[in-house]
Amino acid sequence: METPLGHKHPLSQVIAEINSIFAEIGFTFAEGPERELVAFNFDALNVPKDHPSRDMQDTFYLADKPDVVMRTHTSPVQVRHMKSHTPPIKMICPGKVFRNEATDATHEAQFFQIEGLMIDTDVSLGHMKGVLEYFFSRFFGGEVQVRFRPSFFPFVEPGVEVDMMIAHSPDNKLSGRWIEIMGAGMVHPNVLEASGIDSTKYQGFAFGMGMDRLAVLKYGIDDIRLMYNGDLRFTNQF
Amino acid sequence: MKFSYNWLQSLLEKPLPPAVELGDLITFHSAEIEELIDVAGDTVLDVKVLPDKSAWLMSHRGLAKEIAVITKNTLKADPFLNPVSLNSDERIKVELKTPACDFYSAALITGVKVGPSPDWLKERLVALGQRSINNIVDATNYVMFEIGQPLHAFDADKLSHEGGHHIVVRQASEGEKITTLTGEEYELSVSDALIVDGGNNVPVGIAGVKGGAVAAVDAGTTNILLESAHFDRFAVRKTAKTLKLQTDASKRYENGICRAIAPIALTRVIELILEVAGGTTEVVTAVGDVSVERQPVTVTLSEINSLLGVNLTMRDVEDILNRFAYTYTTDGDTITVTPPFERDDLVIAEDVVEEIGRIYGLGHIVSIPPMVGAVAEVNVRHYYSEKIREALMALGFSEVYTSSFRNKDVVKLENALATDKGYLRSSLVENLREARTSNVPHRDLLGLNAVKIFEIGTVFGAESEEFRVGLAVQTGTSYKAKVDDTLLEEALAALATTLGVTLTFISKEEGIVEFSLDTLLPQLPVVTAYEPAAELPKITYRPFSLYPAVSRDIAMWVPEAVMAGAVEEILAANAGPLCVRLTHVDTFSKDGKTSLAFRLVFQSNEKTLTDEEVQGYMDTLYKTVADQGWEAR
């Protein structure tokens, strides 16, 4: 038997595509630790001290280290990036995150997220709409429209829910309908200040979504747990 | 929260848009509608009330107000426009002995007639999925769903009342017990607050969560004591969570309902009870402070336009503020808004920007296309990870992602999801070993002669974490140094060539090797740009069968002129629907004949195949071979 070519994991493929699309518009790829300080994972992100997401039933804490968690989102990477860079800032941060929740076909205790951040003196929700439409159009192929609905996340104000619609195409099952895809908003001034950015001078948007969901939508994967169990019957289809 | 369309309509002057249209308007201007439910003569809107709006939007008055602003309608009567001030009346003694309660109002109504609620009241509650209990309890629930304030009715005669009623709000003592209205007994701790009958120190309610059985209103009740109080959101949340007893009341307190609503609700529920159950109001009392001072919030027109990316005028903004009926002043392009007492979510300028934006319509935001431009820095780890992937894939290695958790390792989690996931992995080796083992049985199905996998991922030491690369190889059913190490060395040599460095390994045994990517990166050439991404074919994942695959080989002599491809086609056409893979595995020639060998893999999506079933398919193939005049070996 000849040696067949190996296969790239779909999440690696998604990360590579995301990076290459965002790199075209000047967004850098930032990273940070998966084991994170509460100060970066919650405090700097304006998450109230009593917020339910801090509970042990949602967040993994490390034994004997009440100030350290497995990051619950990649947002602390945004904080770290703002602390070490000055605006204008354009970055994305794909990475693994952890939630203490029961697993099923659409939930995993560890999964991948992609977040993005753009900060300058005049960045608005209009810029965010443009960036997201550009990204989704490139990622899914075809023209993608984006719309916002009011939402709430402690780290943004205003906060929005983002839906996307791929222009109708007969061979694309995802096309022609609105799909709820991510949470986003204008970075809360408390977050900017906690990250060392002057909120009276700078403003910007942040967004975040499950990378697993992008892979699920793009490839029609029916169970996200398949992405994390090392089964080549899954990986070798990609 | 569930809202009744008819109820909302009853609170508004002008006709509502049809339910579906109303649902969309709410979704795009206020909060997401999860579902519209048709119930007898009504439509229920299930609204996912956002956390920052939960203090005031978890009531029909709250949503009706939103609808009024969104659709330019008017509330018929807004109870919040007439703040109620209640005085203390010693005929009901109220003592607040805990910071968990900062306001408590009560009313004694005598001579009520407990009975079924009138139909209109029943319909309202039933539409929301509530059970109608009796006119008194229904009235308290009705007012809660109407204006958001939880209320409670005690049977006043079941409370001690010699010399007047006496209500105490205090912390529970450790182990103190209470049986709730629905009969469950709860054991409390010192962090839980109780409503207690001051006459006998008996608990009659879990503060902000649920009433007790001891003073429950029943068919024989004639005198009632109503409670409308304000409890601390954190205290209620803690108790509801500890007792696993989340109620309509606790949810509203947890979300920080404004205390100024409590006296308004008491006045309202008294009025309703007199209407549906009769009786006479004997005493109304209140203890504590309900004053709320909202700080003015200043925002400029340019901030509004700059954050939202729109071009509103002062007139547009003022129009929206007027629809809210907010108190505000303007000075040039500066607007100062004083939020109404119930709105705890308007604190900074951005909060006002959100109000303006959502009512104006986020749909008006116009996309600003991004500028194409180079990145300021290249992510070296990503760049070289991709190089490593490409080099390994070329040699038949497939990438896996495995769990960051292990059953035993260096760094322990405080709250593991399961006992076998209690630690963070300090190495990729064990995960790769397990993934390798679990893939060995699938080699034939996947057409592989060896399982060759790799992972690039984070591992955790006591204090540090780093990215590592791990490779694992296995050809047979167990590790064979001679074959497997050769494949592994080939891969490592290719990696060394691709990266242009000598690799140093953390471990290398039994066909599994691991090295640190982070240690390697500083030794690699500087990168200033990413390579263009390759165009990839569109892939659609197909669910695979979870039943075992069965492999069978067939070999035959064919005349030298017969090509393997032609034989393969004939076999494929006759192998039956469960043949999921057919691989040509061997060829040799001897004495003018060619020997061809093929491996067939059979698998069902519905069951585990038996030997007999597979043999049936093989028999057909042997017959096919014989019919062709070939000689099976």
Side-chain angles (χ1 to χ4, degrees):
Chain A
M1 285 195 256
E2 62 191 275
T3 302
L5 290 181
H7 300 265
K8 192 168 180 172
H9 194 281
L11 286 174
S12 292
Q13 185 55 43
V14 168
I15 292 176
E17 280 183 49
I18 290 174
N19 178 56
S20 115
I21 297 167
F22 275 103
E24 290 167 16
I25 50 172
F27 281 65
T28 58
F29 179 155
E31 289 174 296
E34 293 174 15
R35 172 175 46 187
E36 186 55 280
L37 296 171
V38 168
F40 288 135
N41 193 75
F42 292 124
D43 298 347
L45 289 160
N46 199 39
V47 179
K49 290 276 185 226
D50 60 290
H51 197 273
S53 68
R54 293 183 183 236
D55 289 350
M56 298 258 275
Q57 65 192 49
D58 291 304
T59 299
F60 290 113
Y61 283 81
L62 294 196
D64 308 320
K65 287 186 178 166
D67 58 340
V68 184
V69 295
M70 296 310 289
R71 67 179 179 196
T72 58
H73 42 193
T74 52
S75 310
V77 182
Q78 297 189 26
V79 174
R80 288 174 177 272
H81 192 82
M82 285 189 273
K83 277 178 171 288
S84 59
H85 293 73
T86 48
I89 288 172
K90 289 196 273 186
M91 65 87 102
I92 52 165
C93 46
K96 197 174 199 177
V97 302
F98 302 82
R99 301 270 171 93
N100 191 359
E101 61 183 20
T103 62
D104 61 31
T106 55
H107 295 89
E108 248 293 353
Q110 37 193 313
F111 56 98
F112 278 74
Q113 263 195 345
I114 153 86
E115 295 188 12
L117 174 74
M118 179 168 169
I119 305 281
D120 207 337
T121 53
D122 60 349
V123 173
S124 72
L125 287 177
H127 292 96
M128 183 164 87
K129 197 172 181 183
V131 164
L132 293 178
E133 284 179 345
Y134 178 83
F135 167 68
F136 288 127
S137 299
R138 293 290 311 275
F139 186 79
F140 287 108
E143 193 155 326
V144 177
Q145 264 180 282
V146 153
R147 74 178 182 194
F148 299 149
R149 287 180 282 120
S151 193
F152 173 77
F153 308 96
F155 23 87
V156 287
E157 188 66 49
V160 299
E161 206 68 51
V162 179
D163 301 333
M164 64 153 195
M165 181 161 71
I166 304 169
H168 181 74
S169 137
D171 59 350
N172 187 345
K173 273 193 273 183
L174 295 177
S175 70
R177 62 188 167 96
W178 287 106
I179 297 170
E180 196 174 324
I181 191 79
M182 64 158 74
M186 296 300 290
V187 181
H188 197 287
N190 292 356
V191 176
L192 293 174
E193 293 295 335
S195 309
I197 307 266
D198 181 352
S199 69
T200 60
K201 198 169 161 198
Y202 295 108
Q203 62 189 44
F205 65 75
F207 61 81
M209 66 186 138
M211 197 134 61
D212 310 53
R213 188 162 152 68
L214 285 178
V216 162
L217 288 172
K218 183 153 181 159
Y219 302 120
I221 296 164
D222 59 353
D223 187 336
I224 66 166
R225 289 170 294 190
L226 291 165
M227 293 198 250
Y228 303 104
N229 66 7
D231 195 328
L232 294 185
R233 289 175 296 178
F234 171 77
T235 308
N236 283 15
Q237 293 193 26
F238 296 91
Chain B
M1 179 191 162
K2 292 192 169 82
F3 293 87
S4 147
Y5 180 89
N6 291 349
W7 194 336
L8 292 166
Q9 178 64 78
S10 73
L11 300 175
L12 290 155
E13 293 280 359
K14 289 185 272 182
L16 288 175
V20 173
E21 196 183 315
L22 180 66
D24 281 348
L25 286 167
I26 294 169
T27 291
F28 288 101
H29 297 279
S30 182
E32 188 180 345
I33 300 281
E34 295 207 276
E35 206 184 350
L36 292 180
I37 310 153
D38 281 325
V39 297
D42 199 353
T43 303
V44 169
L45 299 90
D46 192 356
V47 181
K48 200 169 152 189
V49 177
L50 296 167
D52 63 329
K53 298 182 173 69
S54 296
W56 53 273
L57 194 45
M58 286 173 77
S59 69
H60 280 73
R61 182 267 165 203
L63 188 59
K65 169 85 188 186
E66 286 281 277
I67 295 167
V69 176
I70 297 163
T71 63
K72 302 186 182 176
N73 204 327
T74 314
L75 284 178
K76 277 185 185 160
D78 185 354
F80 291 2
L81 292 182
N82 305 305
V84 172
S85 150
L86 301 175
N87 296 318
S88 158
D89 185 327
E90 278 300 309
R91 285 177 291 170
I92 300 172
K93 192 175 168 201
V94 176
E95 282 184 278
L96 307 184
K97 294 185 169 172
T98 163
C101 180
D102 58 6
F103 176 80
Y104 195 103
S105 62
L108 178 66
I109 303 182
T110 56
V112 296
K113 195 168 181 317
V114 176
S117 294
D119 289 345
W120 69 265
L121 177 48
K122 274 189 201 166
E123 277 166 23
R124 289 276 188 263
L125 295 176
V126 170
L128 302 183
Q130 299 288 315
R131 200 161 51 92
S132 169
I133 296 167
N134 59 48
N135 50 2
I136 303 294
V137 175
D138 288 359
T140 60
N141 284 331
Y142 180 89
V143 174
M144 174 177 69
F145 291 117
E146 184 185 54
I147 61 178
Q149 170 65 40
L151 296 158
H152 187 66
F154 299 104
D155 182 326
D157 296 335
K158 293 179 185 169
L159 299 170
S160 9
H161 48 280
E162 224 160 290
H165 287 91
H166 181 191
I167 295 291
V168 176
V169 187
R170 62 160 169 83
Q171 293 302 118
S173 50
E174 197 63 38
E176 195 166 2
K177 285 177 183 157
I178 183 168
T179 302
T180 63
L181 279 172
T182 40
E184 301 84 11
E185 187 183 76
Y186 288 90
E187 189 173 314
L188 306 163
S189 78
V190 288
S191 61
D192 304 314
L194 285 173
I195 314 298
V196 174
D197 179 345
N200 55 18
N201 202 26
V202 170
V204 294
I206 306 170
V209 181
K210 200 165 183 178
V214 64
V217 170
D218 59 36
T221 299
T222 52
N223 302 320
I224 57 168
L225 187 86
L226 293 166
E227 163 195 298
S228 183
H230 183 256
F231 301 105
D232 178 71
R233 59 193 301 183
F234 307 123
V236 171
R237 176 170 160 239
K238 188 157 186 225
T239 294
K241 208 178 133 195
T242 315
L243 302 180
K244 295 192 172 64
L245 182 60
Q246 216 193 28
T247 59
D248 283 316
S250 71
K251 272 187 273 178
R252 287 173 173 78
Y253 287 120
E254 282 177 40
N255 281 302
I257 184 166
C258 177
R259 56 187 182 176
I261 298 170
I264 299 171
L266 185 67
T267 313
R268 174 76 182 111
V269 76
I270 291 169
E271 176 190 291
L272 186 56
I273 284 174
L274 296 184
E275 182 191 329
V276 300
T280 312
T281 311
E282 302 285 349
V283 189
V284 177
T285 189
V287 171
D289 184 15
V290 285
S291 63
V292 174
E293 204 171 315
R294 296 279 175 223
Q295 294 304 312
V297 185
T298 297
V299 62
T300 64
L301 181 65
S302 56
E303 280 175 316
I304 293 169
N305 284 329
S306 161
L307 283 168
L308 296 173
V310 294
N311 285 303
L312 298 178
T313 62
M314 278 301 273
R315 239 182 96 178
D316 300 326
V317 172
E318 287 193 52
D319 171 58
I320 291 167
L321 295 175
N322 291 337
R323 281 152 70 183
F324 275 108
Y326 286 152
T327 305
Y328 68 92
T329 57
T330 59
D331 177 11
D333 89 332
T334 301
I335 306 142
T336 303
V337 180
T338 304
F341 69 83
E342 75 274 14
R343 296 292 303 265
D344 63 341
D345 57 327
L346 301 176
V347 181
I348 59 171
E350 285 76 3
D351 296 329
V352 176
V353 173
E354 193 219 335
E355 289 288 276
I356 304 294
R358 69 188 180 91
I359 298 304
Y360 172 61
L362 300 173
H364 288 114
I365 295 169
V366 177
S367 305
I368 303 167
M371 307 270 277
V372 172
V375 285
E377 22 182 346
V378 168
N379 184 312
V380 180
R381 184 152 61 204
H382 175 66
Y383 179 91
Y384 282 110
S385 294
E386 288 290 284
K387 290 275 170 213
I388 290 169
R389 287 186 182 105
E390 284 158 23
L392 291 174
M393 282 156 56
L395 293 171
F397 280 75
S398 285
E399 186 179 22
V400 295
Y401 279 36
T402 66
S403 175
S404 297
F405 301 142
R406 296 288 311 171
N407 62 341
K408 189 78 190 153
D409 215 310
V410 180
V411 182
K412 191 172 189 285
L413 290 173
E414 178 68 34
N415 51 335
L417 199 55
T419 47
D420 62 340
K421 295 170 181 161
Y423 291 79
L424 300 178
R425 64 183 179 188
S426 64
S427 152
L428 301 173
V429 171
E430 289 312 313
N431 282 359
L432 283 171
R433 191 191 311 278
E434 288 167 12
R436 181 176 71 172
T437 303
S438 66
N439 278 305
V440 162
H442 308 316
R443 283 168 306 164
D444 286 340
L445 176 68
L446 296 169
L448 302 173
N449 54 3
V451 172
K452 297 196 272 188
I453 54 174
F454 71 98
E455 177 166 13
I456 304 177
T458 310
V459 301
F460 303 85
E463 299 297 333
S464 62
E465 67 181 69
E466 69 171 348
F467 267 82
R468 286 191 187 168
V469 180
L471 283 70
V473 174
Q474 190 174 308
T475 308
T477 48
S478 62
Y479 163 72
K480 298 269 186 328
K482 204 174 152 194
V483 202
D484 296 336
D485 286 354
T486 309
L487 292 172
L488 196 58
E489 290 302 339
E490 181 192 20
L492 295 173
L495 281 183
T497 308
T498 299
L499 300 173
V501 289
T502 311
L503 297 172
T504 313
F505 305 113
I506 294 163
S507 68
K508 188 176 168 190
E509 46 193 327
E510 296 189 339
I512 306 175
V513 64
E514 184 178 37
F515 60 90
S516 166
L517 180 59
D518 288 344
T519 313
L520 194 61
L521 292 176
Q523 305 165 40
L524 302 176
V526 173
V527 183
T528 53
Y530 294 111
E531 284 173 21
E535 281 292 323
L536 291 149
K538 185 173 154 49
I539 292 164
T540 301
Y541 167 74
R542 293 199 348 264
F544 53 81
S545 170
L546 295 174
Y547 294 98
V550 181
S551 304
R552 289 283 190 278
D553 287 356
I554 186 169
M556 69 205 77
W557 290 110
V558 299
E560 262 182 336
V562 176
M563 305 313 278
V567 177
E568 191 169 334
E569 262 176 45
I570 290 169
L571 291 178
N574 291 280
L578 300 184
C579 176
V580 291
R581 186 176 287 277
L582 171 60
T583 318
H584 174 208
V585 289
D586 189 45
T587 307
F588 67 88
S589 293
K590 193 180 166 190
D591 305 333
K593 289 191 296 183
T594 304
S595 166
L596 297 173
F598 296 88
R599 179 161 300 163
L600 297 109
V601 183
F602 297 91
Q603 191 181 34
S604 159
N605 278 319
E606 283 139 25
K607 58 179 180 174
T608 299
L609 294 175
T610 62
D611 276 347
E612 289 73 34
E613 284 169 290
V614 175
Q615 197 50 52
Y617 292 115
M618 290 306 290
D619 289 345
T620 308
L621 285 177
Y622 280 112
K623 187 170 178 302
T624 305
V625 167
D627 289 348
Q628 294 288 332
W630 304 329
E631 184 193 340
R633 308 175 50 222

